[in-house]
Amino acid sequence: MGFTEKEEALVKESWEVLKQNIPQHSLHFFTLILEIVPAAKSMFSYLKDSDEILQNNPKLKAHAVKVFNMTCESAVQLREKGEVVVAENTLKNLGSVHLKSGIIDPHFEVVKEALLRTIKEGVGEKWSEEMGCAWGRAYDQLAAAIKAEMKEEAAQLSSNLS
């Protein structure tokens, strides 16, 4: 079953609220990821050997904004296109980077949890379980597209080694 009109409306409505303060919400998003799995810090080259406070790390801020933006924008496109639309070179790059970083399925679930918590806190009283389900479905589609690229990249790497 495709993304419904109501799901799209819920995502768009909440995205309009979140866009008003993307830097704050995106930083909160990454802070939650690191609270849930502190060891994830080592997966980010610019955090690995840093004792800097997250809020003061310009590379984290830039990365957080980029990730949060792409996740939200791809969710908004889901109904119109019937799938998550990310530029092919961006998707290939995401697959490659995630594979090289050692990202595995449980990591995607942590990101999903942090994303949903960030949205819930960001939209306040507008939050509903239905909104959470809509965002969850949209995120799952994006994660599936990234995982497919990771599998393709892994297959290419192993065929190059043969």
Side-chain angles (χ1 to χ4, degrees):
M1 183 171 99
F3 211 58
T4 68
E5 200 172 319
K6 184 162 187 179
E7 286 173 317
E8 178 189 32
L10 288 166
V11 168
K12 282 183 173 180
E13 175 189 353
S14 54
W15 180 223
E16 287 305 313
V17 172
L18 295 169
K19 280 198 298 191
Q20 295 171 24
N21 199 346
I22 286 293
Q24 177 187 329
H25 295 306
S26 55
L27 191 60
H28 182 63
F29 171 55
F30 266 83
T31 301
L32 286 172
I33 290 170
L34 297 176
E35 280 177 14
I36 297 166
V37 182
K41 184 177 179 183
S42 67
M43 296 177 150
F44 300 94
S45 60
Y46 47 84
L47 294 179
K48 201 181 298 188
D49 300 318
S50 172
D51 291 329
E52 190 172 23
I53 297 170
L54 291 180
Q55 289 81 346
N56 296 338
N57 189 313
K59 289 183 179 178
L60 175 67
K61 283 182 185 178
H63 184 73
V65 169
K66 188 173 159 184
V67 170
F68 201 79
N69 237 329
M70 185 182 64
T71 303
C72 294
E73 290 293 347
S74 64
V76 169
Q77 298 170 17
L78 194 55
R79 177 165 158 72
E80 184 181 315
K81 308 284 185 195
E83 62 184 357
V84 168
V85 178
V86 178
E88 189 176 330
N89 59 340
T90 301
L91 200 53
K92 284 193 181 308
N93 184 46
L94 285 169
S96 179
V97 167
H98 283 79
L99 184 67
K100 288 175 185 162
S101 297
I103 304 299
I104 55 175
D105 283 356
H107 296 138
F108 284 95
E109 290 305 311
V110 168
V111 171
K112 181 179 179 179
E113 179 185 337
L115 177 71
L116 293 176
R117 283 173 53 188
T118 300
I119 294 165
K120 181 178 184 176
E121 292 169 27
V123 300
E125 292 179 9
K126 290 181 184 267
W127 176 261
S128 68
E129 287 305 312
E130 210 173 5
M131 182 182 283
C133 288
W135 275 104
R137 287 190 62 213
Y139 174 80
D140 289 344
Q141 293 289 324
L142 178 60
I146 294 170
K147 289 177 193 179
E149 277 302 322
M150 289 171 66
K151 279 185 181 169
E152 195 171 305
E153 174 91 4
Q156 285 177 347
L157 288 172
S158 73
S159 72
N160 290 345
L161 296 174
S162 302

